[in-house]
Amino acid sequence: MDEIVQQAMARWPNVPHCFGWLRLDARGGWRMRDERAQQLDLPGDLIRHPALLAFIDRNYASDAAGRWYFQNGPQRVYVDLEWMPHILRTQPDAQGNLSLVLHTGIAVDVATAAWMDEAGRLYLRAGELIAGVDDRDLAHLLPCLQMDDADEDALLRWLEGADEVTPRFKLGGRSLPLQRVAGSQLEQRFSFVSRPRQD
């Protein structure tokens, strides 16, 4: 967290929290939501200002209840999540190998667990964070999904509930069993709140 933000929090400790005005979309874009956008449940306007985006990314955190927020000086601006608290993107390294980067720009060293939901969306754990893979980057990671046999339809059958084989996610020298997760159970499974509101 920026030092200037920490100083503002110490100087003005009782600034009311803000809810509903900031949204993280499913591709890792920050969106500002005015009153109209909130009332009509619209996604809001994409924030494009580089300095503001960098400031939000540096000061993005969660509270003990799993509510994600942006610490804007002394004010905590809680974030509505369209999908997950973090979005992963792929990025080729100097050797042409794929590396992973969070939507906040932080590089992910290694994935330690992998899940896929019934819609084919991929989730990876990196340290303490669990992130959804940006749908535009999923195609780059599909070769990492491997089956023990050569049956091309085995992954589809697995997504439909068959347990005859267990797919694996292989990246960066690691081979992880691919686990199932229900799209409707993400908040409970991964302990976050998608629409934090004032108590």
Side-chain angles (χ1 to χ4, degrees):
M1 192 171 290
D2 288 1
E3 184 178 342
I4 193 168
V5 169
Q6 293 175 2
Q7 291 171 357
M9 290 167 60
R11 189 169 179 188
W12 298 288
N14 297 316
V15 175
H17 300 325
C18 178
F19 295 87
W21 286 86
L22 187 63
R23 182 176 185 167
L24 180 67
D25 70 25
R27 290 182 166 174
W30 294 110
R31 293 180 173 271
M32 185 62 67
R33 303 177 72 232
D34 61 16
E35 288 183 21
R36 180 179 178 274
Q38 291 178 56
Q39 289 172 355
L40 299 175
D41 199 26
L42 300 173
D45 296 325
L46 197 60
I47 299 173
R48 299 185 187 278
H49 192 280
L52 178 56
L53 290 170
F55 183 60
I56 295 171
D57 289 343
R58 287 193 312 270
N59 296 286
Y60 183 53
S62 67
D63 65 14
R67 302 180 303 176
W68 287 83
Y69 63 90
F70 153 55
Q71 190 70 46
N72 183 25
Q75 185 175 54
R76 188 173 282 190
V77 179
Y78 280 96
V79 178
D80 284 0
L81 304 171
E82 183 178 334
W83 183 26
M84 293 288 291
H86 285 91
I87 306 299
L88 271 175
R89 299 176 178 137
T90 59
Q91 182 174 295
D93 63 18
Q95 291 78 35
N97 300 314
L98 282 181
S99 61
L100 301 172
V101 179
L102 291 173
H103 73 277
T104 56
I106 297 172
V108 172
D109 291 331
V110 65
T112 56
W115 296 263
M116 187 169 273
D117 68 18
E118 65 278 4
R121 296 181 300 184
L122 182 63
Y123 307 82
L124 298 175
R125 177 189 294 278
E128 296 299 313
L129 300 177
I130 298 174
V133 174
D134 186 325
D135 64 342
R136 298 168 295 186
D137 293 72
L138 187 56
H140 298 124
L141 293 175
L142 283 179
C144 298
L145 298 173
Q146 300 177 10
M147 308 299 287
D148 290 333
D149 59 24
D151 185 353
E152 294 179 1
D153 294 327
L155 180 60
L156 292 175
R157 290 197 305 275
W158 179 84
L159 283 171
E160 293 170 353
D163 289 320
E164 62 202 69
V165 290
T166 300
R168 301 194 71 78
F169 179 80
K170 298 181 180 182
L171 181 67
R174 287 205 173 208
S175 178
L176 307 168
L178 188 63
Q179 304 169 67
R180 286 191 186 94
V181 64
S184 62
Q185 300 295 314
L186 297 176
E187 290 184 65
Q188 294 87 353
R189 179 74 181 270
F190 299 135
S191 302
F192 68 90
V193 178
S194 64
R195 292 178 62 95
R197 291 297 180 264
Q198 198 160 12
D199 297 333

